[in-house]
Amino acid sequence: MEKENYLGVNVSPLNYEEIIADLRARMEAGLQSTIIAVNPEKVMAAEKNEELRQLINSSTYQIPDGVGILLASKMKGGKISSRVTGVDMMDRLIRFAAEENHKVFLYGAKEEVVTTAKQKLEEKYPGLVISDYENGYEKDNEKIINKINASRAELLFVAMGSPKQELWIRENMGMLNVKVFQGVGGSFDVFSGKVQRAPLFFRKLGIEWLYRLLKEPTRFKRQLALPRFLMKILGAK
Ligand code: UDP
């Protein structure tokens, strides 16, 4: 798989279905895989932080979350044809797990959030087995590792915000019998119904950022990463 590279950060050009097909083959080969969401904010942060850049680039799939990465690919003649968002990737992986009988573990968020997310996902996908879960505030790491291995989960979703969740995955994956790891940020909050996504109209047009800006004007400063990122891409060779 040929990666695209924006300001030193790799991005996987695969769409949801291509990732599922690739992952299935990797699982059959007994390989572990990691999925990390990439957006302009993370790329700008990685420019100044070598460790973060390495963390992103050493992942198996760097999914193009955020319309900025899609625009950068279009501007540079890349192959990325649509966004692959963290929350939709998780949803697709959950469906894959339900259809192909792979157990799932949810780790992160507040206790009531993770339990509600578990319940809602099991209602949405009959046959899905979320064999266990842990909230994101448990301090005893050995207990967490043992719990995950005892659950026999093959897919693990970690929702503790970025880069905390990715650092935890890198640190612990060698001790886990898990095959697929995804850091999913606030996704359990979305699946639990606690946080609403932007209406489909905004999502389809790729202007989720505009909806968020209207709802939370204080995000303005964070969102400046997008135009700054695009200016840099235009300037970069
Ligand atoms: N969280 C957690 N443990 C922590 C810190 C955060 O489980 O020590 C959870 C928090 O409850 C929330 C999620 O991580 O569910 C944070 O999501 P956020 O939207 O901040 O992440 P982003 O998508 O911005 O990386």
Side-chain angles (χ1 to χ4, degrees):
M1 160 189 30
E2 186 88 11
K3 301 269 169 89
E4 296 183 15
N5 188 287
Y6 299 101
L7 309 178
V9 173
N10 285 345
V11 185
S12 152
L14 304 182
N15 62 30
Y16 298 102
E17 299 314 315
E18 290 164 341
I19 291 175
I20 294 290
D22 203 62
L23 266 177
R24 190 186 287 113
R26 288 179 62 91
M27 287 174 83
E28 280 164 11
L31 297 170
Q32 290 186 312
S33 311
T34 53
I35 301 168
I36 185 164
V38 177
N39 57 37
E41 212 184 328
K42 273 193 210 164
V43 175
M44 299 295 281
E47 253 205 319
K48 297 191 210 97
N49 181 338
E50 173 68 22
E51 196 197 2
L52 179 61
R53 183 162 69 232
Q54 277 181 14
L55 184 68
I56 299 174
N57 288 352
S58 62
S59 301
T60 316
Y61 309 98
Q62 300 81 2
I63 56 175
D65 195 344
V67 71
I69 305 293
L70 179 61
L71 290 173
S73 183
K74 295 234 182 286
M75 278 154 53
K76 290 286 166 184
K79 290 201 185 72
I80 298 169
S81 59
S82 62
R83 294 171 65 200
V84 175
T85 69
V87 64
D88 287 323
M89 188 74 245
M90 176 174 167
D91 191 77
R92 184 65 188 85
L93 282 166
I94 290 278
R95 174 152 75 85
F96 161 74
E99 288 172 356
E100 303 190 24
N101 300 314
H102 300 296
K103 293 188 174 75
V104 170
F105 193 104
L106 304 182
Y107 171 36
K110 299 202 176 93
E111 180 72 16
E112 70 273 18
V113 170
V114 62
T115 51
T116 310
K118 176 178 186 296
Q119 184 196 334
K120 293 258 169 83
L121 285 167
E122 284 169 342
E123 281 164 15
K124 185 171 176 190
Y125 294 110
L128 173 66
V129 180
I130 297 178
S131 45
D132 212 345
Y133 71 93
E134 182 60 74
N135 72 60
Y137 300 89
E138 170 58 50
K139 292 276 182 287
D140 184 346
N141 202 52
E142 201 183 319
K143 179 185 144 192
I144 299 167
I145 299 291
N146 291 338
K147 199 169 175 183
I148 296 170
N149 281 334
S151 77
R152 310 189 77 83
E154 288 180 275
L155 287 84
L156 171 64
F157 298 95
V158 186
M160 297 194 293
S162 201
K164 187 177 182 185
Q165 60 203 14
E166 283 87 10
L167 290 169
W168 185 90
I169 290 170
R170 188 176 63 180
E171 196 93 329
N172 294 285
M173 62 189 289
M175 289 176 276
L176 293 166
N177 296 323
V178 169
K179 290 291 176 290
V180 181
F181 300 80
Q182 186 187 354
V184 295
S187 297
F188 294 0
D189 296 85
V190 174
F191 287 114
S192 74
K194 193 178 151 222
V195 169
Q196 304 264 302
R197 290 189 74 184
L200 202 58
F201 167 79
F202 288 90
R203 278 156 45 198
K204 281 256 155 84
L205 287 175
I207 52 172
E208 230 164 327
W209 59 269
L210 177 60
Y211 176 79
R212 294 228 188 98
L213 182 61
L214 294 172
K215 278 196 80 163
E216 270 180 82
T218 52
R219 285 182 68 92
F220 179 68
K221 264 185 106 173
R222 269 182 75 172
Q223 290 192 336
L224 282 177
L226 175 59
R228 281 172 47 228
F229 168 75
L230 291 177
M231 292 304 289
K232 281 212 155 181
I233 292 289
L234 271 177
K237 289 265 146 44

